Structure formats: C-alpha cells, structure tokens
Amino acid sequence: MQVTKTFMGSLWIFLLIPADVEGQCTKPTMTENAVIHEDYILTEIFDEKSTIKVKCHPGYEPTSTSPRRLTCENGQWIPRPEKFTCQKKTCGNPGDIENGIYNYLNGNEFGDTIKAVCKTGYYILGSETRVCMANREWDGQPPVCEVVKCGPPPDVPNGQTRLPLEEEYDYGQVVQYVCADGYTLLGGTVHCLQNGSWSSTLRCIVVDCKRPDIANARRIEGGSGPYRYRDTLRYECNVGYRMTNNTDRTVCLEMGWSPTLVCEEVKCPSLKSTNVIITEGGVGPYRHGSVVRYQCQTGHALVGDSQLKCGLDGQWSSDPVCLKVTECRQLSHTNASIIKGGDGPYKVNDVLEYKCPAENKMIGNPELKCQSDGRWSSDPPYCEGNSSGWETTLGVCATVFCGGVVGGGAGAYWWNKKNSRKTASAVEGEDINLNSDRDPECVIQSSGTQTQTA
Ligand SMILES: *[C@@H]1O[C@H](CO)[C@@H](O)[C@H](O)[C@H]1NC(C)=O
Ligand SMILES: *[C@@H]1O[C@H](CO)[C@@H](O)[C@H](O)[C@H]1NC(C)=O
Ligand SMILES: *[C@@H]1O[C@H](CO)[C@@H](O)[C@H](O)[C@H]1NC(C)=O
Ligand SMILES: *[C@@H]1O[C@H](CO)[C@@H](O)[C@H](O)[C@H]1NC(C)=O
C-alpha cells in the first residue's frame, strides 16, 4: 500500500514535469497536412530514444527532403518536426476525348477540377467535370462527345431533296433540293445546325419581272419578256442623257430588276475657273450642247478656246484657263529689225523698238509694248517694198521704194553692186548705167532731183 502510494506520488511528479525535461518528449507539433502515425495518436509523452513514424494527410505526400521518422533525443525530436512537410499529390493525364477537350480550371493537383468541353455540334454524355483524387486518379469516367443529330430536313414547297430522305443527319450535313419546273431555287443551303434544327432559308419560287419602264432610254439587249430569274437587259440612254450608275445592265432578281437603271440628263458642272468673265451662256443648268463664251479679267491671258461647249459626256470641251500674265509671247517674224528691247522673254511693260532700212517705209507702229493682258500693244511693223538694193545680188536689178515718199505712181529704179558700193540711178524705163560710181540713191522721177542716200 505504501509502495503504491509512493508510486502514485512519483507518477504525479512525473506528470507535472515539463516536456523538455531530459529524456522525454511530448507529442510533436506537425506542419500543415502532416500527422504522426495513428499508432501514437493517444500517446502524450514519449520516452527517450523512442521513434515515431510521420505521414501526410490523404491526397498529400511528403516532400523529397522530408524525414520519415522522428526520434526523441534528450527531450527533443530529431530531426525537428518542421522538417517534415507535405505537398499535394498530382494526377496524371486524364486522356483524350474524341471531339472534345479537357479544360484545366486550376491545375492537376489533388482536389483540382477539369472540365470536358465538346466541339461545336457535339454534346456531352457523362459527367462534365472530374476531380483529382488522393489516389492520383481523376474521379468518375471520361465523358463522351456525341454528334448532334437532326431529324428529316424541312419540306420546301415546290421542291424536293435531291437524294432520298434519311432518318437522321449529323451536325453540318447539307441537304440539296431541286425545284419543280418553272420555279427558281433561292436562298442558302439547308444544313443540320448545332441545336439539331435545320437551317432553312431555301425556297422554290416563281420569279417574274415586269418589263422595265426606263425614261429616256431604249432597250438594246434582251428580249421583250416574259422575264425570269437572272434574265438580263441592256439599255441605252437617249442623246443628251446618260446612266446614273455607270452600268447599263439590269438583272431580273427575286425583288425585281436590279439595279434600277436611270437615264439622267447630261449636265456640265458649273464653271469654277477664276479670273474668267463669262460673256455669254453664263446661266445654268448647262445641258448637252450649251455654249459658254468667256474672256479673261485684266492682267490675265486666255489659254485655249474662248468658247466652251458642254459635251455628251457632261464635260466641257475645255477648261477655261485664264493665267495671270507675267510675259508676252514671242513676236511673229518681221523684216523690220529690232533696235531696242532685244530677245525675249518679254515682261509686262517691256518696250520694243523697230526700224526699217531708210529706203523702206515702215508699215505699223515702230514701238511695241508688252501689255498686262500678255498681248503686245500691236503687231510688229514691217518694211514695205522689195528688198533693199544692198541685199540684192550683183548684177540684178531690183525695185525699191524710197523711204516715206512713195506715192503718185512714182518709183525709183536703181541698181547696186554689193561690196564695191557701185550703184547707178535710173528712172523708170531707162537703162541702168552700170559704170556710175555714185552712192546709191533714190531718184524720185516726179519730184525731179529730190534724192535720198540709202
Ligand atoms: C437553332 O439555331 C438557329 C440558329 O442559331 C435558330 O435560328 C433556331 O431558332 C434554333 N432552333 C431552336 C429549336 O432552338
Ligand atoms: C449602282 O450599282 C451598284 C451595282 O452595280 C449598286 O450596288 C448600287 O446600289 C447602285 N447605286 C445606285 C445609286 O443605283
Ligand atoms: C518688187 O519687185 C518685183 C520684181 O522683182 C516687182 O514685180 C514688184 O512690182 C516690186 N514691188 C514693189 C512694191 O516695188
Ligand atoms: C517685208 O515684209 C512685207 C510683208 O511680209 C513684204 O510685203 C515686204 O515686201 C517686205 N519688204 C522687204 C524690204 O523685204
């Protein structure tokens, strides 16, 4: 009895000793999802040198560096319990689904879910989702993707299927129809849809277009009707009219003729040129054949015609162009010589001065000015009469007029020998004295002795 008492007393003492007292260990505190083997679940105090097995919760496995056992040494678990860690187990490939795929909603670890999805036109048979289990397997059975089926295709009034009907059709299958005589097949195809119905926009109808009534046009291609589907007509607009849409063909379609042909009157656009003064025909609309006359504003020169005509194409025969003048054009050739002003280009306000040989009379104005309209103030002058005697060939008699005094039928006849300046004077009807050594001169017969040196 005494012994028992003493034993009980020491047991109490033993129980009150703190855990890290040398030689004994308390139950280890494990990391998440780790547990000690169920054999020790009820043990609270472990003796020195005792060894316990540790493991993970179902669905978890020890990490590769985790120890498998813990040993109580000097009141401590060795290795330390926190060295034992657990990780989720992973599931393998769930396999392929014909006409579908698995979507991984999170991953392939214990507790994760995958979802089977079928291709368009297929539906799922079986469980859509599978969960990764503790045994590394995906739960349940793989689902099956079944093709959507359609029943017999729809009736098309006045039409029938090209092939005999079947009980069922798979998703995507197309059924072809033919129409009864005189009917036109319109619309798309008839095919089995993903919801098991048929697409059915197909129709067999009678297309009958009335004869078109197109103002200001005449038919140049195609018969006079009746018109059936896709019959084509071609029209030509009357003179002064044209098609609005660059097309002269129209086709008989279900809703009638397309496009609708319209002949509109040809009109030319308003004139938009600047610096133009319209002198005639300025008010539109400008129909085919309309004529507009115009001139340029001061300081501008006309390039091209001063008259425009509106053509059958709705275009003006030309564009009125009035260019701002900065230059006068080259002058026409003359036998008067320029003695001031020289060669071009000629700017506005430039002045040219001409001269004729003394024995010739100048016809026209000796002075020309380049005006602000790009024109010269006048045409260049020329020198009247035949070539100067000085230009004539040796031994040839020439007729000249003496400058400024021609008149009354009088003439002066003279001859010259170029270079030697040998000349002779003569009056009409007389022979020329080739041996004279006088300078060239004009002898005005009617005025007696009046002479002029050339
Ligand atoms: C099937 O789908 C088509 C096209 O998406 C739709 O027009 C039709 O109403 C659907 N049919 C049924 C029975 O749901
Ligand atoms: C012009 O013709 C085209 C086809 O050729 C058509 O699509 C369009 O609607 C027509 N436009 C007009 C204004 O008629
Ligand atoms: C010019 O000379 C020709 C002969 O070469 C003559 O017939 C003609 O009358 C002359 N004209 C004038 C205007 O003198
Ligand atoms: C000068 O030209 C004019 C006109 O072209 C002509 O009539 C005249 O005979 C010519 N005079 C001379 C001198 O060449």
Side-chain angles (χ1 to χ4, degrees):
M1 202 63 203
Q2 188 63 41
V3 173
T4 312
K5 211 170 194 172
T6 310
F7 171 76
M8 290 302 286
S10 38
L11 184 63
W12 278 113
I13 291 160
F14 171 80
L15 286 172
L16 293 170
I17 293 168
D20 53 356
V21 161
E22 185 185 331
Q24 289 185 324
C25 297
T26 51
K27 193 182 270 184
T29 308
M30 300 304 292
T31 54
E32 206 183 353
N33 297 311
V35 285
I36 58 175
H37 197 274
E38 52 266 29
D39 292 353
Y40 319 113
I41 286 290
L42 296 173
T43 314
E44 292 298 334
I45 301 293
F46 296 84
D47 288 339
E48 170 77 3
K49 297 295 178 203
S50 57
T51 292
I52 57 172
K53 286 193 245 169
V54 287
K55 61 173 192 174
C56 293
H57 280 150
Y60 292 80
E61 59 190 357
T63 54
S64 59
T65 57
S66 293
R68 293 298 188 265
R69 298 172 196 302
L70 306 178
T71 306
C72 178
E73 281 178 27
N74 295 324
Q76 298 248 313
W77 291 106
I78 303 296
R80 302 294 301 154
E82 56 266 31
K83 294 279 186 210
F84 185 85
T85 52
C86 294
Q87 65 190 15
K88 281 183 177 175
K89 288 179 180 174
T90 55
C91 280
N93 189 332
D96 294 333
I97 319 174
E98 219 178 313
N99 298 311
I101 51 157
Y102 283 115
N103 282 338
Y104 285 79
L105 300 184
N106 11 56
N108 63 344
E109 293 178 338
F110 171 63
D112 286 350
T113 303
I114 52 174
K115 186 176 177 190
V117 179
C118 293
K119 286 203 308 202
T120 306
Y122 291 80
Y123 64 95
I124 202 152
L125 267 187
S127 174
E128 211 174 25
T129 57
R130 301 181 74 187
V131 176
C132 179
M133 299 187 299
N135 64 358
R136 299 180 187 277
E137 300 283 339
W138 297 98
D139 74 345
Q141 294 297 313
V144 174
C145 288
E146 279 286 343
V147 69
V148 169
K149 301 265 186 197
C150 289
D155 268 351
V156 172
N158 304 306
Q160 61 180 62
T161 56
R162 206 176 276 277
L163 299 174
L165 289 186
E166 289 166 35
E167 278 288 296
E168 283 191 325
Y169 294 81
D170 285 355
Y171 161 74
Q173 246 183 298
V174 174
V175 175
Q176 292 186 324
Y177 287 77
V178 284
C179 293
D181 274 355
Y183 289 83
T184 303
L185 188 71
L186 289 176
T189 58
V190 170
H191 56 269
C192 174
L193 296 173
Q194 68 186 92
N195 61 6
S197 347
W198 289 95
S199 73
S200 63
T201 47
L202 199 136
R203 286 155 302 138
C204 287
I205 58 162
V206 177
V207 176
D208 186 13
C209 290
K210 299 274 166 294
R211 186 185 301 180
D213 181 17
I214 300 168
N216 302 306
R218 61 192 185 90
R219 194 175 67 238
I220 54 171
E221 224 178 278
S224 55
Y227 303 106
R228 295 280 180 246
Y229 190 64
R230 292 221 172 277
D231 279 354
T232 298
L233 295 177
R234 203 151 79 83
Y235 280 82
E236 186 178 70
C237 294
N238 295 341
V239 172
Y241 293 82
R242 66 171 166 195
M243 295 289 175
T244 48
N245 205 4
N246 273 335
T247 177
D248 55 1
R249 280 171 199 283
T250 186
V251 181
C252 171
L253 297 179
E254 186 190 359
M255 304 310 290
W257 295 101
S258 175
T260 305
L261 298 182
V262 176
C263 286
E264 65 170 6
E265 202 177 353
V266 171
K267 282 178 194 145
C268 283
S270 314
L271 296 170
K272 51 187 182 298
S273 295
T274 44
N275 305 311
V276 170
I277 301 165
I278 294 174
T279 55
E280 197 186 314
V283 183
Y286 304 106
R287 296 202 163 81
H288 150 243
S290 298
V291 169
V292 166
R293 288 194 179 80
Y294 73 101
Q295 61 191 34
C296 291
Q297 288 172 355
T298 317
H300 295 82
L302 182 66
V303 177
D305 254 348
S306 65
Q307 172 174 317
L308 306 181
K309 200 168 172 189
C310 178
L312 271 176
D313 56 358
Q315 302 294 314
W316 291 103
S317 50
S318 69
D319 258 346
V321 178
C322 285
L323 293 182
K324 190 167 173 56
V325 169
T326 54
E327 286 187 4
C328 281
R329 273 167 297 153
Q330 286 287 339
L331 289 146
S332 49
H333 180 74
T334 174
N335 50 19
S337 39
I338 295 176
I339 57 162
K340 211 184 113 194
D343 292 334
Y346 308 105
K347 296 198 175 48
V348 170
N349 289 334
D350 276 0
V351 171
L352 296 182
E353 224 178 287
Y354 286 87
K355 199 177 180 220
C356 286
E359 68 272 18
N360 294 124
K361 183 184 178 186
M362 180 179 280
I363 307 296
N365 207 324
E367 210 174 87
L368 265 62
K369 189 172 172 187
C370 176
Q371 299 179 139
S372 63
D373 62 357
R375 295 165 189 263
W376 291 99
S377 50
S378 62
D379 284 335
Y382 63 90
C383 304
E384 196 186 50
N386 283 327
S387 296
S388 152
W390 294 103
E391 253 74 62
T392 57
T393 317
L394 180 67
V396 174
C397 281
T399 308
V400 295
F401 284 101
C402 287
V405 291
V406 179
Y413 295 80
W414 58 312
W415 177 89
N416 88 75
K417 182 180 173 193
K418 206 173 178 184
N419 304 325
S420 73
R421 292 173 66 85
K422 275 208 160 190
T423 59
S425 66
V427 294
E428 194 169 10
E430 279 182 9
D431 287 329
I432 292 165
N433 179 0
L434 293 175
N435 297 317
S436 166
D437 55 2
R438 284 169 52 203
D439 279 336
E441 63 181 16
C442 285
V443 180
I444 306 303
Q445 193 180 19
S446 57
S447 313
T449 57
Q450 193 182 356
T451 61
Q452 188 182 0
T453 303

